Amino acid sequence: MNKRNFVGSYQSMEHQQSNLPEADELIQIATRKCLFHLLSFLDRKLPESCAVHSFVNAAILTASPSYLVYFKRQHVSSTPAVTFSEDEFSLIVGVGMERFISSSNQETKKCWFFSAWTDDDDKNLADAYEAIDIIDWSLDAVVMHYKNHTPHPAISHFIATKQTIGHCYPCDQYVLSLKNAVHLHIREIDGVYVKSLERCHAQTVYDYWPYKEGTTVENVAKEIEELPSAGVFLKDNNKLVSWMMSHPPNGMSRLHTLQEFRRRGYAALVTQYLSKRTAQCGFVPFVNIDEENVASQKFFENMKFELFRPVHIGVAKPSEIIVLILKKNRKKYCLFLLPQMEQPQHQVAKDDGLLTLATRKCLFRLLSFLDSRLPECSAIHSFVCAALITANPSCHIYFRKAQSPSRDENEYYSLIIGIAAECFIQPNQQVKKCWTVTAWTDDDEILANAYEAIHIIDWNTDTVIMHYKFHEPHPAITNLIINKHGEEKENRMCYPSDQFYLPVNDALNLKISEMDGVYVKSLEPCHAKIVYDYWPYRESTTVDNITREIELLPSAGVFLKENDELVSWMMCHPPNGMSRLHTLEEHRRQGYAALVTQYLSKRVAQCGFVPFVNIVIENTASYKFFESMKFTFLRPIHVHYSTNNTAKIHFGVMEHQHIEHTGCENNMIQLATRKCLFRLVSFLDRKLPEACAIHSFVSAAISTANPSYRVYFRRNFVTTPPTSAKEEEDYSVIVGVSKENFIGNNEEVKKCWTITAWTDNDEKLSVAFEEIHEIDWNLDVIVIHYKHHTLHQGITHFLDGKKISGHCYPCDQYILPIKDALNLQVSETDGVYVKSLERCHAQLVYDKWPYRAGSTVESVAKEIDELPSAGVFLKTDNQLVSWMMYHLPNGMSRLHTLEEHRRRGYAALVTQYLSKRVAQCGLVPFVNIHIDNVASYTFFTSMMGFQRLCYGHCYVTNNYPS
């Protein structure tokens, strides 16, 4: 189809009537977990959604705070039972921010980049842009990418009300299918080599970028570090002469070849290389080309890109940045030219009784409001602070706006409630939820109705712990609890307490004393178990909950210098303030409690919290201790515990039981659909780095769509239907299974299954293996990768029952943190260059792989096509002399250097390069090393900076071919 016909057919579609469901009125900012759901949804809309799909993907891979994603859910009035798992959205907007230096006054300015997808109701887009009020339209530059050659009239009108002038650049979008990109063969050209760019190349890319006035060298450097890129380098001096890189939401961009090196095929080489790298990271390779740029259109058509649809790039900003951009273009299209409109006066709405769930942006406003009410509202203030710092999806903040009683405040609230969920295990082994609630209000009468309106709490099954002012709850709250949990007094308990605080300035000025024989520092996740074991109310929490609080919030511990033993500790536990103070019995009365209190108070104040504690009124010893630490009485409060007869925890008067975390789960193990894979990777993302092997397996199953990668899972069973569309999905077992065919000793085709898994209880794994029926355990070759140095007893019994014998190879798993990998500077070595492998190298890799009997050249070639890899090549003849590649689920594997080229640093070079590429794909770089392989252990830890994560093993059945 030619361009004219293509555009015509597209525009004719715009005039058709669409019968769309009503959309949810609230636009929301996506959490990290939401991003995976959005990616799953957009994956089904490809290639139409390729721009915003690549933006969401980049937001996940980079975790950059400069990438924000907003969305509206689709509301289907006829099916009120629709849940979040159905992933229906009416609008998704990606917003990226770059800072630049104004050439007129040298001030730092912001430039915002928009990309969006809607369900064809484009007029809703203007309302969405209006709702995203982090943008100062009077000062910031805004660049909008969207479909059609001209913007929707509603967008034009919206921009006209914000800006004095703007311009639109009609473009055409060209795409290369993922399948074609993955199978591209990168050709070699004499005298040059192609590889990814490094941070040191950012200045060159910036200098030749015609629109550099809207960015900085640092912005370019960050994109080079975090996203796919490509450059052609001269072999004789490593000079960069041609390049291209990813630039969301503009796709593959910044293509440039130095003038004296043009017409040599270098632009084609970087385009091929970047297209393949982009596809391997799960992006659709696409470019936006000005409709008058005939040369670029012909070039990309020769590269097998296909015209997909018309788009436009709208630029809105009344300043010199637009003038400079326009001077560099052959043609400009005046889009908005209206006088500056007078802004309507802001009017605060009266309290309409609506309780609203706070977005991240709302949290900052709430924080500003609460800040002026410190220290009285220190509990809810610290809760909102913690929600911002941790971005924990278990924390929810609700609020109700009201008209300010004075004119001093632009925004006023009548009510703010913070709630957090923790799961705990009952003695009957059922998983239950415990909700901790704190609040601020200017009218205690409305609090009970607000609690009633929070539907994510299931009052029939959940436990609720409320923190609030006064020694007793308000009568309306008492009536609510009786209605929900019955009149039985044993179902509810109230603990009158007093709240003490230390002024922030006093805390910041604390001098932390030194004590002989000990040191004080923050706790680490490895200390969660001991904190849990000594916490008298541990029946209402888990080790995982405490681990998360240690990782995300301030904490303090006193350690013996002689053996690093933890002997005293304290940590933050919103909304209870500084909590869980404990000193081991044999180390008491030595001043350690005072030391951790000092240290934690200062750390809390440095994070913007008010240091405070809640003390039960009968605890005279704690009163005296905190008064001696200069804490001051603030106000009376109470902690109210309530539950029903079926969901009790022993709170206050505890029976100290150690309850094993098992949980109840759905009996059936299921094969994951593509949509399920996104949910699984979202779940596993929260288990990193421990789950790095299975996480990389599921991610690869998504990016490659390879039918040889199968993922099975079992959900944790929930006894009641979800009470919220945002209900967390939980899993008890996830198993990744990959199949390779090979030729057996009798020339028959055999199957080799490689298995990796994650589970919350090792006992469940053998049952899951039993239910995977496509594996013939008696005939097929089996390779199992899992934690611990030996097989779990349940797996051993399972294999014995199948009459399967094999050998277990104990290994250790080592990782390089993603952030460290992204910041690697890949060194240059004289006489060689490093780049990704190509399919033509599969034979050599196969020939040198000691375990090749269980694989084929074609299997190696497919992994090279679909997954990250690295090779060192001689500049003289392009000979491959050292390599490493991704080999699921074994991580970075197949490292090899030809004998005559060893001890020259080539292994380090491919490891650096591959580690960075793996991290740019959103995977944790990891390796498995046999415990007797001292050389590899030394290489990866001492030279490459990898850290041991866990013990593991590789079990291989005896029928593995020799």
Side-chain angles (χ1 to χ4, degrees), residues 24 94 112 181 210 223 254 303 352 371 379 387 450 459 465 510 519 576 580 591 650-651 714 784 802 875 913 946 958:
D24 191 323
W112 299 92
E223 286 184 337
R254 292 177 173 150
M303 300 302 298
D352 58 5
D371 184 70
W459 294 89
I465 301 173
L510 281 172
Y519 61 93
N576 208 34
R580 293 181 172 142
H650 300 284
F651 190 89
R714 177 176 290 154
I784 301 173
K802 297 286 185 181
K875 290 181 179 178
Y913 189 85
F946 279 63
N958 284 340

Side-chain angles (χ1 to χ4, degrees), residues 328-517:
K328 299 182 185 330
N329 287 272
R330 292 172 286 101
K331 188 170 182 179
K332 58 178 181 267
Y333 294 78
C334 188
L335 175 60
F336 327 108
L337 192 58
L338 294 178
Q340 187 70 31
M341 298 182 67
E342 184 178 352
Q343 297 296 318
Q345 291 188 347
H346 179 65
Q347 217 173 2
V348 179
K350 293 182 179 180
D351 187 344
D352 58 5
L354 292 176
L355 196 64
T356 305
L357 178 63
T359 63
R360 184 168 179 83
K361 182 186 147 206
C362 293
L363 293 179
F364 287 99
R365 294 180 180 167
L366 294 170
L367 202 60
S368 173
F369 175 82
L370 293 169
D371 184 70
S372 63
R373 287 160 175 77
L374 290 175
E376 286 74 17
C377 60
S378 54
I380 184 67
H381 177 271
S382 69
F383 195 95
V384 175
C385 277
L388 278 169
I389 292 171
T390 66
N392 187 341
S394 298
C395 297
H396 307 268
I397 312 290
Y398 295 85
F399 65 90
R400 185 178 288 167
K401 276 193 171 184
Q403 186 171 355
S404 173
S406 69
R407 296 183 179 179
D408 297 334
E409 293 179 293
N410 289 328
E411 291 203 25
Y412 190 82
Y413 303 89
S414 63
L415 178 114
I416 303 170
I417 300 174
I419 66 171
E422 291 189 40
C423 292
F424 65 95
I425 312 299
Q426 283 196 304
N428 62 3
Q429 301 302 299
Q430 285 189 316
V431 180
K432 295 293 183 179
K433 282 185 180 176
C434 178
W435 295 93
T436 305
V437 183
T438 188
W440 172 90
T441 178
D442 58 5
D443 182 2
D444 295 338
E445 296 286 345
I446 66 176
L447 201 54
N449 290 334
Y451 287 167
E452 180 82 51
I454 299 174
H455 300 302
I456 59 174
I457 300 177
D458 188 335
W459 294 89
N460 295 321
T461 61
D462 300 343
T463 294
V464 181
I465 301 173
M466 301 179 189
H467 296 248
Y468 197 55
K469 60 186 178 181
F470 312 125
H471 278 164
E472 293 182 355
H474 189 277
I477 300 295
T478 302
N479 290 336
L480 171 71
I481 298 302
I482 291 174
N483 289 336
K484 297 294 185 182
H485 286 158
E487 296 187 1
E488 296 86 351
K489 290 186 177 180
E490 62 268 22
N491 288 356
R492 61 187 191 277
M493 288 174 277
C494 183
Y495 300 87
S497 308
D498 287 331
Q499 196 169 84
F500 287 74
Y501 83 106
L502 185 65
V504 170
N505 284 340
D506 293 352
L508 290 174
N509 292 320
L510 281 172
K511 303 297 182 185
I512 310 300
S513 55
E514 293 185 357
M515 301 182 69
D516 291 339

Side-chain angles (χ1 to χ4, degrees), residues 834 837 841-852 870-873 879-886 892-911 914 927 933 936 939-940:
V834 60
L837 300 177
H841 303 127
Q843 183 69 57
L844 179 58
V845 174
Y846 174 82
D847 290 341
K848 299 293 182 179
W849 179 237
Y851 311 114
R852 61 183 175 274
V872 168
F873 299 80
Q879 181 190 357
L880 175 61
V881 296
S882 184
W883 58 84
M884 194 180 198
M885 55 185 289
Y886 219 65
M892 294 164 54
S893 180
R894 293 180 172 150
L895 176 62
H896 185 84
T897 304
L898 298 182
E899 185 69 36
E900 61 273 24
H901 296 280
R902 294 185 179 176
R903 295 177 179 81
R904 302 183 188 185
Y906 298 165
L909 192 55
V910 291
T911 302
L914 184 56
V927 292
N933 191 342
S936 291
F939 171 76
F940 280 100

Side-chain angles (χ1 to χ4, degrees), residues 616-854:
V616 175
I617 58 174
E618 297 172 355
N619 192 343
T620 308
S622 289
Y623 272 85
K624 291 180 179 179
F625 170 76
F626 281 100
E627 285 172 347
S628 72
M629 300 300 300
K630 309 302 182 185
F631 278 64
T632 304
F633 173 77
L634 177 62
R635 63 174 182 172
I637 65 158
H638 67 270
V639 180
H640 189 278
Y641 155 79
S642 71
T643 185
N644 62 15
N645 287 321
T646 64
K648 287 189 178 178
I649 59 173
H650 300 284
F651 190 89
V653 183
M654 290 282 190
E655 296 176 9
H656 301 315
Q657 307 173 61
H658 290 277
I659 303 171
E660 185 182 357
H661 188 146
T662 56
C664 303
E665 71 274 347
N666 190 330
N667 288 329
M668 296 297 295
I669 195 163
Q670 303 174 55
L671 177 64
T673 63
R674 182 170 179 84
K675 184 176 173 185
C676 291
L677 292 176
F678 287 94
R679 296 179 191 153
L680 292 168
V681 83
S682 172
F683 173 82
L684 293 168
D685 180 72
R686 305 191 294 276
K687 306 292 183 183
L688 290 177
E690 288 75 15
C692 59
I694 185 67
H695 175 269
S696 67
F697 192 96
V698 177
S699 296
I702 292 173
S703 63
T704 68
N706 188 335
S708 297
Y709 300 144
R710 296 168 171 84
V711 180
Y712 296 84
F713 65 92
R714 177 176 290 154
R715 284 195 177 91
N716 265 332
F717 180 68
V718 182
T719 56
T720 58
T723 58
S724 166
K726 296 182 181 178
E727 189 76 38
E728 293 272 352
E729 291 210 26
D730 196 20
Y731 303 90
S732 61
V733 177
I734 302 171
V735 181
V737 179
S738 66
K739 181 187 71 171
E740 289 189 49
N741 293 325
F742 65 96
I743 307 301
N745 296 330
N746 57 1
E747 299 303 315
E748 289 184 358
V749 177
K750 297 285 187 181
K751 293 177 183 176
C752 178
W753 298 95
T754 305
I755 303 172
T756 189
W758 172 91
T759 177
D760 59 8
N761 185 344
D762 295 343
E763 297 284 351
K764 302 172 182 177
L765 206 52
S766 59
V767 179
F769 287 175
E770 181 75 61
E771 294 176 8
I772 300 174
H773 300 301
E774 63 183 321
I775 300 177
D776 187 331
W777 294 89
N778 300 115
L779 291 178
D780 299 340
V781 174
I782 312 295
V783 180
I784 301 173
H785 294 260
Y786 195 55
K787 59 186 178 181
H788 315 306
H789 276 167
T790 58
L791 285 171
H792 185 270
Q793 186 177 9
I795 301 295
T796 301
H797 289 162
F798 167 74
L799 295 173
D800 289 345
K802 297 286 185 181
K803 295 182 170 51
I804 298 171
S805 59
H807 187 77
C808 188
Y809 300 90
C811 305
D812 290 335
Q813 194 170 87
Y814 293 81
I815 65 164
L816 186 64
I818 288 181
K819 185 177 180 181
D820 293 349
L822 289 173
N823 291 322
L824 280 172
Q825 302 302 313
V826 180
S827 55
E828 292 184 355
T829 304
D830 290 341
V832 298
Y833 61 94
V834 60
K835 72 179 188 77
S836 301
L837 300 177
E838 298 300 327
R839 172 176 274 267
C840 60
H841 303 127
Q843 183 69 57
L844 179 58
V845 174
Y846 174 82
D847 290 341
K848 299 293 182 179
W849 179 237
Y851 311 114
R852 61 183 175 274

